[in-house]
Amino acid sequence: IILLAITFGALAAAAVVALIASASSVPAHPQVKNDTPSPSPSPSVDDSLFPGVWSSVRLPTWITPIEYDLTLLSYFNNFTFEGKQVVTMKANEDTRYVVLHAADLDIGRVHVYSPFQLGGRWQEVRRQKVEGYYQYYVFELDNVLNAGGTYMMEIDYTGNLTTRLDGYYRSVYKNQAGEETWIGTTQFEPTDARRAFPCFDEPAMKANFTIHLGVHENFHALSNMPVASIENLSTRITINGVEQGYRVFHFEESVPMSTYLVAFVLSDFEYKAKTTKNGVEVRVFATADAVTAGLVDFALEMGVRTLEYYEDYFGVPYPLPKEDLIAIPDFAAGAMENWGLITYRDTALLLDVSGQTSSPANLQRVAVVIAHELAHQWFGNLVTMEWWTDLWLNEGFASYVEYLGTNHSFPQWDMPRQFLFQDEENARQRDSLLSTHSLSAKNIETPSQINSLFDDISYSKGASIIRQFNAFFGEEVFRAGLKSYLQKYSYSNARSTMLWAEIESAAHARGWNGMIMPIVDGWTNNAGYPIVTMKSVDDALLGGILYNIKQERFFSDGTNSSDDSSIWSIPFNYEYSYSGESTVRETSMLLTAASDEVAIGTPMPLSWVKGNAYESALIVVNYGAKEWEAIRGAMTGEGGVRELDVEDKEDVISSAFLLHFANVEPVNADILLPLLSTIQHATDYSLWAETIRGLSTLIDKCYQQSYYGQLHAFILSLIEPVALSLSYPSSPEPMGTLAEFGSGEGFGTARLTSAMFAFGESVGLPNITSIADVQFLAFLERAKATSAVQAAGEMSSITRPTVLKAAVKRGGDEGYNTVLALYEHSTSASLQREALTALALATEPWEVARSINLVLDGVIRSQDSLRFLEYIIGGSIVGREAVWRLMNNDWARLTSGREGLFNGLGGLIVTMAKSYNTEFDLDQVKSFIEAADVSETSKQTAVSALQANINYLRNNGATLDAWLKQWAASA
């Protein structure tokens, strides 16, 4: 799964939202390896204890599946389905009990066929029960299933096609004529295959699947494997007053896979196709209108390119004959890596290359999501984590490799740089809270606990650690280890220690004699990450300078680090430059103790020293005041010193913000704000992206403080030179062919232009607001003459998101109504998303109420509703307080029907908490979350983030005020 980028903030949040989106023959399918698992005790059970046959949330291992033969007949006239499945299974020990998962299904007749032990007769079920808390279906047989025996279990059942966005559910879209069409689709990860068919719904319970899907004749069916045959039935069904025939799609048998990777889609979608150089057919499905408009063309080309690249990178062929990518109108996550049938939100797959509706940010987002999900086809699907505690192994790896896959097609985008301000920085921010968790999570059993792991730790921290050790061991060793791991555990399950073992073997084969686990253990089993303090302790050392290097756990929320004794083995690179030299010297060490000392020779005066060169490790580095001052000079090359590379400048800025917000001495306003002044004339997109993120957080914390006016003036002076040097187009810019997409420096300039226009408008830079006003007034005039949809298509995709926000904020009722019409009538997912983000920025109380009612009245799709409320919280104080009242007064209504959204309700609470900064607010939030049905992690994160805001103002308010007054006096 790829999640949606979660963006928090207040008045500047809208800018950040805009910124950071940002073998032709196939071998016979291998059979499941049925090695007997470690036995689970088969308890003696009396009648009174039957509901507690098995008291663990994890399935017993008495029975394991070998193959599912699943028939599912769907009826869109009443949104129900009938299921019939035969599961071939193996008994690993003597037992009369079968325990498997089922949820929201009505189970009918159940039989177990034991051909060898019982003379080939069906064995009836003696007793059965659906256990709701564990989501178990438990039944007892008349006779014992003997250890080592193979049995067949037949189950008939029915279910409903709900709108929950998990399990097997229905989704709706409108065609160009405005007609609604319902489709059927699935989302099973992590624990919702049980809502579509009774199953052993755990990742280690792999099996082969033969699937048969029935649907009315105007629809077709897709699943993980190609269609083997289509069978027309005599059944007739009436859909929307039209009688239709009924047919069943029979699919080829699958490779062994986990239940969460099973998928099927029933729709009238169309597609375009292309074949890779190794004979894999890639198809991209979407609505007929989207296919006709060419919105799938980019995804098709990107999919083929990336699939071919990964086959070369991993050294392991893609194991299926086809790969389908399909855009789903209602989808909770960003995308899902179902093997051979990847499902996407339409905004994460469809792209308008004419530039009328899609922007450069959309372009990169689609490319990255495709690269992420295709990486999973090996890492996650071919080899799957044994249990969800190692989810990071799936998601962290895909989150790292997505940058390699994207960079392969678009090297000019400099994706390795973008990794730093996106995933690396996400990891550093989230993992610095007390409420974080280790990568290899502990005590994860229930569906709620499993869902809570789909967060920045599993994704971004996991990716950062993989990147860190790729750099430490080298690309050759790393890739050799990956190839060995994938080959050794294909069609099976693995733990993270197994990956490290293969990398260690690859390193040993190339001359490295160390042991890997003592090095990586702290990074996977410790929560958090270290702050490394590098400070000179003896400037008079004969022939050099002695530096003390100390590590301890870094907390950004005021937690005392002395309470945590965690130690990491840190691959620590530091660089330095001598006065008058144009070169940079670099030294590497493995820091394994709480502190160490290094000496840097001084054959000539030392200009500066910087730790964590190129941000190669997941750490934050602090210095003494003297070292910070030298680094400030190196940011510009002041005094003729060697200037820092842009990657290191980016690390300096992001680290300074982190340390400042965490109240770490000496990084107060006297160090942070002068550092920011050094990039006033920089034109690098990634550097400004990092800076805007930090400035947005600073605004959020200080917006209601007495000195905010001076801070606002400082921020305007900081961004004005770059903002005024850029041009802001008002008409569409075609993106060209795939070979030309984002070519040269134009892509980075476009991203910088979009980001600076958004941020400048949000903070009220006069020249930017004037341009935005001119463009939104022209948009309103064109909309009156034509339509909101047509008018929006005539705007620049670079500036349009910000112009729509300006229309809502300063265009009165006409502006709000026009943007709302754009949302309601556009069939472009990109335009709808831009309109929705703009509508969240209403500032008048009655317009905020209208926006909230769009959620409550179901106008906004369920998948977007909670994120929309988060945008309202960040849009204005009026919006924040309106949503807070709604949360307190009508939480039940707000949460109803949104159970399938990944951590959405918890995210809403965290966003709200982050917007407050007083002890009174903290008491109010604590009182609210005590009764809220969200994960403990979300509750802890909310409290931790709010406490961090309180601590920040308490520790930095006075120094900020003093520095800004001094700056204002000298400006």
Side-chain angles (χ1 to χ4, degrees), residues 107 245 394 451 510 512 607 663 665 820 949:
I107 297 177
N394 280 18
N451 269 298
R510 289 157 178 81
W512 186 71
S607 296
N663 312 305
E665 293 293 341
L820 178 59
N949 287 345

Side-chain angles (χ1 to χ4, degrees), residues 287-330:
T287 64
D289 294 333
V291 173
T292 301
L295 302 186
V296 303
D297 294 357
F298 175 80
L300 181 60
E301 295 295 328
M302 183 69 189
V304 169
R305 279 192 180 196
T306 307
L307 201 64
E308 293 175 342
Y309 169 71
Y310 285 159
E311 287 192 309
D312 292 337
Y313 182 83
F314 295 127
V316 177
Y318 175 73
L320 304 187
K322 62 96 173 176
E323 182 72 270
D324 293 336
L325 294 70
I326 186 167
I328 305 298
D330 298 284

Side-chain angles (χ1 to χ4, degrees), residues 754-793:
S754 180
M756 196 59 70
F757 192 61
F759 187 65
E761 194 279 333
S762 72
V763 298
L765 186 63
N767 299 72
I768 298 297
T769 56
S770 295
I771 295 171
D773 288 350
V774 169
Q775 291 194 18
F776 93 66
L777 290 172
F779 162 66
L780 296 182
E781 287 300 315
R782 286 196 298 268
K784 284 191 291 187
T786 56
S787 69
V789 174
Q790 183 172 333

Side-chain angles (χ1 to χ4, degrees), residues 855-873:
V855 172
L856 300 180
D857 295 341
V859 176
I860 294 176
R861 291 181 183 270
S862 177
Q863 65 179 20
D864 300 318
S865 58
L866 297 182
R867 186 57 46 82
F868 182 61
L869 292 176
E870 289 186 34
Y871 291 161
I872 293 177
I873 293 170

Side-chain angles (χ1 to χ4, degrees), residues 351-482:
L351 191 78
D352 175 14
V353 298
S354 73
Q356 288 187 312
T357 60
S358 297
S359 67
N362 298 144
L363 170 63
Q364 181 173 310
R365 171 67 175 168
V366 171
V368 167
V369 176
I370 290 172
H372 180 102
E373 302 306 329
L374 288 177
H376 273 308
Q377 307 302 294
W378 286 264
F379 230 94
N381 297 8
L382 183 62
V383 182
T384 310
M385 76 264 153
E386 195 171 89
W387 182 244
W388 300 104
T389 47
D390 275 329
L391 175 66
W392 78 272
L393 199 59
N394 280 18
E395 297 300 347
F397 188 87
S399 296
Y400 171 67
V401 174
E402 70 186 38
Y403 288 87
L404 306 183
T406 307
N407 204 61
H408 170 71
S409 287
F410 303 106
Q412 65 275 18
W413 294 357
D414 201 3
M415 294 304 294
R417 284 274 320 284
Q418 294 199 44
F419 180 92
L420 298 179
F421 80 80
Q422 295 186 48
D423 278 273
E424 184 98 354
E425 195 57 29
N426 287 343
R428 295 208 299 182
Q429 295 201 19
R430 175 63 181 86
D431 204 32
S432 63
L433 297 175
L434 181 62
S435 60
T436 189
H437 60 84
S438 59
L439 276 180
S440 293
K442 314 293 192 299
N443 303 317
I444 301 299
E445 291 190 331
T446 68
S448 177
Q449 291 168 339
I450 294 167
N451 269 298
S452 71
L453 292 180
F454 289 83
D455 63 3
D456 283 333
I457 302 304
S458 297
Y459 285 73
S460 296
K461 182 180 181 180
S464 299
I465 297 308
I466 290 168
R467 172 183 176 269
Q468 173 177 301
F469 285 107
N470 184 10
F472 180 75
F473 289 105
E475 181 76 10
E476 181 185 352
V477 168
F478 190 73
R479 288 181 63 177
L482 291 183

Side-chain angles (χ1 to χ4, degrees), residues 2-5 165 169 171 185 187 285-286 299 325-336 342-351 365-366 369-370 373 829-830 833 836 860-868 871 900-902:
I2 193 164
L3 303 182
L4 300 178
L165 305 187
Y169 68 94
S171 172
T185 188
Q187 172 56 48
F285 287 79
L325 294 70
I326 186 167
I328 305 298
D330 298 284
F331 199 72
M336 174 61 209
I342 306 175
T343 45
Y344 295 79
R345 269 195 187 212
D346 39 16
T347 54
L349 188 67
L350 306 181
L351 191 78
R365 171 67 175 168
V366 171
V369 176
I370 290 172
E373 302 306 329
S830 296
R833 183 180 59 184
L836 202 60
I860 294 176
R861 291 181 183 270
S862 177
Q863 65 179 20
D864 300 318
S865 58
L866 297 182
R867 186 57 46 82
F868 182 61
Y871 291 161
L901 300 178
F902 281 87

Side-chain angles (χ1 to χ4, degrees), residues 516-687:
I516 195 170
M517 288 313 299
I519 299 174
V520 303
D521 184 70
W523 298 98
T524 57
N525 290 321
N526 291 346
Y529 65 93
I531 174 175
V532 175
T533 302
M534 189 174 190
K535 187 182 300 186
S536 61
V537 293
D538 188 354
D539 289 353
L541 183 71
L542 184 62
I545 300 175
L546 185 65
Y547 286 86
N548 176 260
I549 303 177
K550 182 182 71 172
Q551 66 159 300
E552 58 188 332
R553 182 173 171 184
F554 175 63
F555 291 100
S556 64
D557 55 5
T559 301
N560 190 341
S561 60
S562 64
D563 296 336
D564 191 299
S565 58
S566 298
I567 294 293
W568 292 260
S569 294
I570 305 172
F572 185 65
N573 303 333
Y574 60 94
E575 57 187 348
Y576 52 94
S577 180
Y578 293 114
S579 178
E581 278 198 337
S582 60
T583 58
V584 174
R585 317 291 181 97
E586 185 175 337
T587 301
S588 301
M589 62 183 293
L590 188 65
L591 181 62
T592 59
S595 65
D596 204 345
E597 291 181 340
V598 297
I600 299 178
T602 52
M604 59 189 79
L606 190 65
S607 296
W608 52 262
V609 61
K610 181 194 173 295
N612 202 24
Y614 309 111
E615 203 172 334
S616 55
L618 183 64
I619 61 176
V620 60
V621 182
N622 190 24
Y623 312 89
K626 181 169 56 177
E627 286 82 16
W628 274 113
E629 180 59 26
I631 286 174
R632 188 193 65 78
M635 292 287 285
T636 60
E638 180 181 293
V641 305
R642 170 63 158 83
E643 188 174 344
L644 289 173
D645 291 333
V646 69
E647 295 94 337
D648 285 316
K649 291 181 182 180
E650 188 180 320
D651 180 43
V652 167
I653 294 297
S654 64
S655 296
F657 272 123
L658 271 173
L659 296 165
H660 178 68
F661 294 142
N663 312 305
V664 176
E665 293 293 341
V667 191
N668 53 28
D670 296 336
I671 286 180
L672 175 68
L673 299 183
L675 265 178
L676 296 179
S677 297
T678 65
I679 68 162
Q680 196 171 26
H681 299 282
T683 57
D684 181 79
Y685 164 64
S686 295
L687 179 58

